[in-house]
Amino acid sequence: MKVLAAGVVPLLLVLHWKHGAGSPLPITPVNATCATRHPCPSNLMNQIRNQLGQLNSSANSLFILYYTAQGEPFPNNLDKLCSPNVTDFPPFHANGTEKARLVELYRIIAYLGASLGNITRDQKVLNPYAHGLHSKLNATADVLRGLLSNVLCRLCSKYHVSHVDVTYGPDTSGKDIFQKKKLGCQLLGKYKQVIAVLAQAF
Amino acid sequence: LSEPLPLTPESLKVSINSTKQCLHLQWTVHNLDYHQELKMVFQIQISRFKASNVIWMGNYSTTVKRNQVLHWSWESELPLECAIHFVRMRTMVDDARIPAPRFWSNWSSWEKADAQNSLGDHPLYVFPKDKLVEEGSDVTICYISRNHQDNISCYLEDELTYGKQLDQNVWAFELKNVSFHRKTGTNFYCKGQGVPEGVVLFVSKVLEEPKDFSCETRDLKTVTCTWDPGSDTGLIQLPSYTLFESFSGKKTLCKHRNRCDWQVTQDSQEVYNFTLVAENYFRKRSVSILFNLIHGVHPLAPYNLFPKSVSATNATMTWKVSSIGHNSALLCQLQLLGEGKVIQQHNISVRVNGEYLLSELKPDTEYMARVHCAYADHFWKWSELISQNFTTAEAAPSEAPDVWRDVTFVSGHPTVTLFWKPLSKVHTNGKILFYNVVVENLDEPSSLEVLSVPAPANSTKVTLNQSSYQIYVTAHNSVGPSPASAVAISGHPENENVEEGRVNGTEDGFHMSWKPQSRNATGYVVEWCDDPQNLPCVLRWKNLGPTNTGTVISSDAFRPGVRYDFRIYEISAKGMAHLLEKKAGYLKELAPSYNPEVATINLTSHSFTLSWKDYSTESQTGFIQGYYVYLKSKTGEKCHREFEKTVLPDNSVGCKYTIDNPDQKTLVVKDLQPESVYEFFVTPYTSAGEGPLDDFTKVTTPDDYSHILIHIILPMIFCVLVVMITCYLKSQWLKDKCYPDIPDPYKSSVLSLIKFKENPHITIMNVNDCVPDAIEVVNKPEGSKIQFIGTRKSPTETKGTKPVYLDLLPTEKNYSGPGPCICFENFTYNQAASDLGYCGHFPVTPQAPHCQLGPLTSPENLLKTLEQNYMNSLGEIPAGEANLNYVSQLASPMSGDKESPPANPPEPALCSEYKMQMAIPLGLASPAPSKNSSLSSTALLDPSEHCH
């Protein structure tokens, strides 16, 4: 599934997305003015770097917590069941300009945020007693939301980017439980991989 | 209706329900008349993979109307996605209104149900998805592989499972008797070369029937039914519980899995038929109960329970109850608890407010009041209890303290230590604040001394005069004093001369009895110390009535192996205490805990004495009955007299001697072998056994001669020492007596001999009359032939004897230097001559003496001469050139060569006892001696012819 979206309003919607949000961002008019609700802080890039570092430091433990909670065959077949072969995952080019990198970062964070919402929703049903996993998923989603907001501020204030096309991962609500577990594991494997690259790039 | 109708199923459609794994069939039957209803039978065939492979055939009977769409479902054990299914059916009228014969219609055409069409292009699929099964059931799982070459393995969790191939691409796995793994499902997955695929199987435990289903009402408005749901089914989806009431036909969905509320309506229904239905995906369980509302009233707990107007002995309790419909009364039960036990219980009928007066309470006592209520019209169950603690008010102590005394006399004045026991809780009636001690001098009634001792002290000391006293002790709390306890003190020492007896302890304590001395005794007191090993003594006593002549003294403080001393007093009518008896005893005697230190005394070669007089028999762990003396000897195994052979506690063999008198603390061990090693060990014994096994002490007996050494040698040594000391002290006297430097002839023993012989001619030479010898210094000129010096040949030397030289000048230089020496050749002491048995000395020439003593007649001349010649000999005469020749003071110079034998051999002659010798210079010795004669200084003296 691939949906294009653009505009400030969709960005604000993304900032307030809830678990399971997988709907595409609506396209806003191209000539919409770039404006943020609150003034951006001066040390924005530092905050972005810190948030990326924070996510990177917790990504592996989140991944382990997830596949452990799913039971066999996941812990012993990580290479196949949890391989980071996520189709349609937004690309990232570390050698691009800051603007390009920020735009790509924005897309990735939006993608991850939506997928993490799906995973959190599924796991609350599939593993209702895995409170540690739920807590970690929620904390990661919170940081992702903050990061998305900061990237938006940066794009808007410095580069006057008013809209970014974003894509989302597949909605897992209609899939069987094993597929939900597998897709979640693949996504978190990909997340662990890509967040390390992002933390390094910024 | 008389003819059979050609009715066939038409419009047969087959669909798949993947969730329930069902084939859903729907069809119609045409050719039915309007308003015609026929009972028909439909025969259905289901094939798998191909139409000819019929796997199931069955009938379905129903009543059919014209154009009615009929539905029927079939559940497949094999997931429908894994195989193509074919369905056909035929029909037959089975209605009684239609007469036989009846015929089956033709089969409908095969209808195909293919779920694989909807699958995507993934290489591997596993079915069924998210299957819910009950524990213990069987389930079939299958996979479809697009890649025929792929070698696929399937696992249930991590356990490899084996299946069977159903088709070219399809494998099935039949899981038998599946078990519950976890609430979040059991993973079944297959993996080949690609990404593993799997399904989650949810296994539910079997739903149990609710147990202990019962209902009650607290207020006649709501009925609450409870039950035990049993074990959890293990699924996230909980079973549902529904409560049905059959009389009213109402039902309610329960919000809890073990409780459900039912609202009582106003239609005054009293009896309810409740049915509880528990239901999950697989099962439905139900249980019923007939409930009468009036018979199931469980009132709510009362509240606001408080004590009101609490005095020392009474308290009023009040409480409230929740009202029940119809203004019904409740039966409440009020309980009074003291120290955790119910001591009072009262039933009170209450509508709204309850109140009850509790009486016969004890002062200053904490109580608990608690109350619960039940429906008065029909008792079924008490409500929950509520409780309230309260404490009654204080009252004056109700009993006099138990007082005893210990009287000691200091300088003739009695010092009384008063002891009292704390009043029991029953009698204090409050907190004791202090004790009053009133001392009344009976000889001076007007004098009263009052002491106040603050609690919790239990003793005080009072110093009295030598008068009679009455002492009163009262205990006081905040309300007032207790009755007084009186003790009389005589003021004079008590009679302590009472013989001490023994008392045996038992498990109950010490059973002791006594003989009353007075008929007017008002009671007896037995006193003792609880812990006599630790001072000061914790005095204990027991009061006994006048009729008692015995008692059992027991105490938790009594310990085995501790000696307790009891004193029994008789209390006179005046309150005076007189010592009646003394007893000592052990609750249980133990073996002695330690052994005496034994000293070995009076050790001889045949005996020794053992002594342990310092060992106290009073402070032991039992009454010492005697001692065992163990003796071991290394020499023999035979025991000594009065000893008996025994096996020692360490399993060695020894000899044992028993002393059965505890006061005998010495033992003489006799008949021992000298120079032998003995080992002994002394241990006391009580009725419980002997003391611990300690190390043996070694004793070695001395030999037999040691006493001789002591009795003989030592005195001898002493005597010798005395003699030596005496000799030393009297050495001068002894020397003078025995060996004087200059013998005194008058003191010589020869005198006695002379006297004995009575020879008048023999006299003693007077020294003063004696002409001293002259020393002749021979100045030998160089080159002169002084043969005497050079050859040093003398008649004696020729005979092999060595001449004797005497130093005249006893200076050290005479010994060290090789310088000139002055030698005397004393022929007088010629050994050879003496060996011949001559008393005299040869050569003795009985020639007429010339006594040429002219130059030496005076001592001055002699000294001068000696000086001069000596100086000359040192200073002028070279070594070897001057000789100091000896000239006998009495002998006349010899004529002729000295070396030549004497012309006249010497004859034995009387000789003097002493021959004084002096060196005289040769030149002075004789006038113009001849060559030969000058060489000789030998002088022979005939006492008979010399210096008389």
Side-chain angles (χ1 to χ4, degrees), chain B residues 269-328:
Chain B
Q269 181 184 355
E270 285 193 3
V271 180
Y272 297 81
N273 186 15
F274 287 118
T275 299
L276 176 69
V277 178
E279 186 176 7
N280 69 355
Y281 182 80
F282 303 101
R283 292 176 188 272
K284 184 182 285 186
R285 303 276 197 181
S286 64
V287 59
S288 298
I289 187 175
L290 197 64
F291 175 69
N292 189 316
L293 189 66
I294 303 302
H295 294 175
V297 178
H298 181 201
L300 291 170
Y303 58 97
N304 286 355
L305 174 65
F306 294 115
K308 190 175 73 174
S309 59
V310 179
S311 68
T313 55
N314 296 319
T316 301
M317 302 303 299
T318 62
W319 67 96
K320 292 185 176 182
V321 297
S322 301
S323 64
I324 290 184
H326 313 298
N327 200 21
S328 302

Side-chain angles (χ1 to χ4, degrees), chain B residues 294-297 299 331 372-383:
Chain B
I294 303 302
H295 294 175
V297 178
L331 175 68
H372 55 176
C373 301
Y375 192 53
D377 294 346
H378 189 278
F379 178 85
W380 183 61
K381 192 185 280 185
W382 287 112
S383 70

Side-chain angles (χ1 to χ4, degrees), chain B residues 767-778:
Chain B
V767 178
N768 296 327
D769 299 336
C770 184
V771 177
D773 285 344
I775 296 175
E776 179 183 4
V777 177
V778 179

Side-chain angles (χ1 to χ4, degrees), chain A residues 70 72-73 77 126 179 182, chain B residues 184 187 189 191 197-198 202:
Chain A
Q70 310 314 310
E72 282 299 329
N77 293 275
L126 300 178
Q179 289 301 315
K182 193 170 76 172
Chain B
T184 54
N187 292 332
Y189 62 97
K191 61 180 181 180
E197 289 292 340
F202 291 94

Side-chain angles (χ1 to χ4, degrees), chain B residues 183-337:
Chain B
K183 280 192 169 187
T184 54
T186 305
N187 292 332
F188 181 93
Y189 62 97
C190 300
K191 61 180 181 180
Q193 298 296 327
V195 178
E197 289 292 340
V199 294
V200 179
L201 202 63
F202 291 94
V203 181
S204 164
K205 291 181 181 177
V206 177
L207 178 66
E208 293 183 19
E209 185 179 275
K211 294 183 282 288
D212 304 329
F213 179 51
S214 65
C215 299
E216 65 181 22
T217 179
R218 314 289 315 245
D219 53 4
L220 296 176
K221 296 174 184 173
T222 302
V223 175
T224 301
C225 296
T226 57
W227 61 91
D228 175 11
S231 61
D232 188 6
T233 56
L235 287 182
I236 297 169
Q237 296 83 8
L238 296 173
S240 65
Y241 291 89
T242 309
L243 189 63
F244 290 94
E245 202 286 306
S246 60
F247 296 136
S248 63
K250 296 178 181 176
K251 69 174 182 179
T252 183
L253 188 64
C254 302
K255 296 178 182 175
H256 307 278
R257 64 188 296 261
N258 62 346
R259 182 168 61 84
C260 204
D261 290 334
W262 183 271
Q263 296 300 320
V264 175
T265 55
Q266 301 297 324
D267 55 4
S268 68
Q269 181 184 355
E270 285 193 3
V271 180
Y272 297 81
N273 186 15
F274 287 118
T275 299
L276 176 69
V277 178
E279 186 176 7
N280 69 355
Y281 182 80
F282 303 101
R283 292 176 188 272
K284 184 182 285 186
R285 303 276 197 181
S286 64
V287 59
S288 298
I289 187 175
L290 197 64
F291 175 69
N292 189 316
L293 189 66
I294 303 302
H295 294 175
V297 178
H298 181 201
L300 291 170
Y303 58 97
N304 286 355
L305 174 65
F306 294 115
K308 190 175 73 174
S309 59
V310 179
S311 68
T313 55
N314 296 319
T316 301
M317 302 303 299
T318 62
W319 67 96
K320 292 185 176 182
V321 297
S322 301
S323 64
I324 290 184
H326 313 298
N327 200 21
S328 302
L330 292 180
L331 175 68
C332 292
Q333 189 175 67
L334 177 66
Q335 296 175 336
L336 182 70
L337 289 85

Side-chain angles (χ1 to χ4, degrees), chain B residues 1 182 627 720 876:
Chain B
L1 292 175
R182 65 178 81 87
Y627 305 92
V720 169
E876 300 170 5

Side-chain angles (χ1 to χ4, degrees), chain A:
Chain A
M1 186 175 72
K2 186 174 183 179
V3 177
L4 296 176
V8 175
V9 175
L11 290 176
L12 293 174
L13 286 174
V14 167
L15 290 176
H16 297 88
W17 112 87
K18 300 298 180 185
H19 298 309
S23 57
L25 291 174
I27 299 171
T28 54
V30 177
N31 58 356
T33 56
C34 179
T36 55
R37 185 178 296 179
H38 302 290
C40 296
S42 58
N43 56 346
L44 205 53
M45 283 310 291
N46 275 340
Q47 283 201 20
I48 290 171
R49 286 189 201 99
N50 290 339
Q51 285 166 322
L52 284 171
Q54 186 181 353
L55 291 171
N56 186 34
S57 64
S58 64
N60 191 47
S61 60
L62 174 64
F63 181 56
I64 294 171
L65 211 55
Y66 180 87
Y67 68 68
T68 305
Q70 310 314 310
E72 282 299 329
F74 290 91
N76 289 319
N77 293 275
L78 294 177
D79 54 336
K80 291 180 177 175
L81 285 170
C82 306
S83 61
N85 298 325
V86 180
T87 55
D88 302 331
F89 195 83
F92 181 76
H93 302 89
N95 52 0
T97 61
E98 184 184 272
K99 178 184 175 184
R101 284 187 284 128
L102 282 171
V103 169
E104 288 177 337
L105 174 64
Y106 187 90
R107 290 195 183 107
I108 290 171
I109 299 303
Y111 185 99
L112 286 173
S115 300
L116 216 60
N118 289 338
I119 293 171
T120 307
R121 177 200 60 199
D122 292 342
Q123 288 301 312
K124 283 188 175 175
V125 176
L126 300 178
N127 287 297
Y129 308 109
H131 301 298
L133 174 63
H134 301 162
S135 167
K136 199 97 178 171
L137 286 168
N138 287 328
T140 305
D142 290 344
V143 179
L144 282 174
R145 273 196 290 271
L147 179 60
L148 198 68
S149 174
N150 284 337
V151 174
L152 171 65
C153 258
R154 181 71 173 174
L155 284 171
C156 190
S157 61
K158 185 172 182 180
Y159 301 107
H160 306 287
V161 174
S162 57
H163 68 277
V164 176
D165 296 337
V166 298
T167 59
Y168 296 116
D171 182 11
T172 58
S173 59
K175 297 189 178 298
D176 66 83
I177 293 172
F178 193 85
Q179 289 301 315
K180 288 177 180 173
K181 290 182 176 181
K182 193 170 76 172
L183 289 173
C185 200
Q186 287 175 343
L187 188 278
L188 290 178
K190 182 69 177 178
Y191 164 71
K192 187 185 80 164
Q193 183 191 59
V194 78
I195 205 71
V197 176
L198 294 174
Q200 189 72 26
F202 289 92

